[in-house]
Amino acid sequence: MASLRIALGADHAGAAYKTLLIQDANAFGHETIDHGVAPGTERSEYPLVAAEVAAAVARKKADFGILICGTGIGMAIAANKVQGIRAANCGNELSATYARSHNDANVLTMGARIIGSDLALAIARAFLKEPFQGGRHLERLGLIPGALGS
Ligand code: RB5
């Protein structure tokens, strides 16, 4: 797999998983950019972290973003407000594979209160290695306002 630049972010609920995901991505030779809070932080605001990571991806400072909160839901809602961001909240590897191949998702979100850490690592690996199929799937993305940028 080609080396990627990945922006990772987490709130207090996802910080421990973020550390594991950074270590795993680095072990695969990817470059990582760390956003959000460190493990042990008592409170933080996921929309602010999501906006930072989404901006890094939208401005092409990163190839992909990975966002972890308690459920992955808030991060996905917030990231998808940014033009050009296609964030997918995934709880299994098959969803992550389709999120890439059919939806060209450029941000993966996961919930640390929903899935185990080993599964989160497997989901991230599946997401990062799967190519977009293009074709009719690209045409469909063009029908979603803001999905392909402004
Ligand atoms: C924080 O308690 C929690 O609401 C947040 O991590 C996330 O799950 C929001 O969607």
Side-chain angles (χ1 to χ4, degrees), residues 34-93:
D34 189 349
H35 294 267
V37 301
T41 305
E42 282 189 12
R43 179 186 163 158
S44 58
E45 314 306 335
Y46 70 81
L48 305 179
V49 183
E52 272 185 30
V53 167
V57 174
R59 292 176 191 158
K60 306 208 182 304
K61 291 180 179 159
D63 299 302
F64 292 108
I66 299 179
L67 288 165
I68 315 295
C69 62
T71 60
I73 297 169
M75 287 293 199
I77 292 171
N80 276 320
K81 290 292 178 192
V82 176
Q83 294 269 326
I85 293 303
R86 300 172 298 279
N89 184 28
C90 296
N92 58 69
E93 291 167 71

